[in-house]
Amino acid sequence: MDSVHESTTAVEAAKLLARTSGAIVAVSGATDIVTDGNRVVGAHNGVAMMQKVTATGCSVTALIAAFVAVDKTHALDAAVSALAVFGVAAELGMKMAKGPASLRMHLIDALYGLDEAALHSHVNITSLC
């Protein structure tokens, strides 16, 4: 869902939802926020044009599910890692893109070709609380 609000304005609501539901909650935006109700972590990767590309939300949700499936006991870390990986791929894809359609193609290619060195040099994850 598109919003005129920054993702960081949703931190308290996300924490409350996580605490009451027992789920990990992610809020996407310029900074992707992930919380378990206590910890709040931000992934600061991605590009603004991602909001103009249809199905990026669905794609990153599938990536989050794959990451969480690997280690369900660290679901918060898996979710924020997936968001950061997707964001890094978007940043790399944006270097070659001329608009939303080519960003989609280059983002997928960047995900396919992503390696450990590229991740380590681009990932920006921080603790927010």
Side-chain angles (χ1 to χ4, degrees):
M1 172 162 72
D2 290 333
S3 174
V4 295
H5 302 288
E6 292 292 322
S7 57
T8 52
T9 62
V11 169
E12 290 308 314
K15 286 172 65 176
L16 178 61
L17 179 60
R19 279 194 300 270
T20 58
S21 68
I24 301 298
V25 175
V27 180
S28 64
T31 298
D32 296 320
I33 305 297
V34 183
T35 183
D36 60 4
N38 297 309
R39 288 177 55 204
V40 180
V41 182
H44 308 274
N45 294 100
V47 295
M49 193 178 292
M50 286 172 66
Q51 61 187 305
K52 306 253 187 245
V53 179
T54 302
T56 54
C58 298
S59 299
V60 77
T61 299
L63 191 62
I64 291 168
F67 276 48
V68 171
V70 171
D71 186 357
K72 294 176 185 143
T73 62
H74 295 97
L76 185 144
D77 296 328
V80 77
S81 295
L83 286 161
V85 165
F86 200 78
V88 167
E91 290 170 1
L92 296 173
M94 193 66 214
K95 291 179 182 178
M96 298 174 279
K98 295 187 179 1
S102 58
L103 174 57
R104 175 195 310 267
M105 177 184 67
H106 292 300
L107 186 154
I108 293 168
D109 287 346
L111 274 172
Y112 174 77
L114 209 53
D115 61 19
E116 190 174 349
L119 281 176
H120 283 292
S121 65
H122 290 88
V123 165
N124 184 5
I125 296 173
T126 61
S127 176
L128 301 177
C129 292

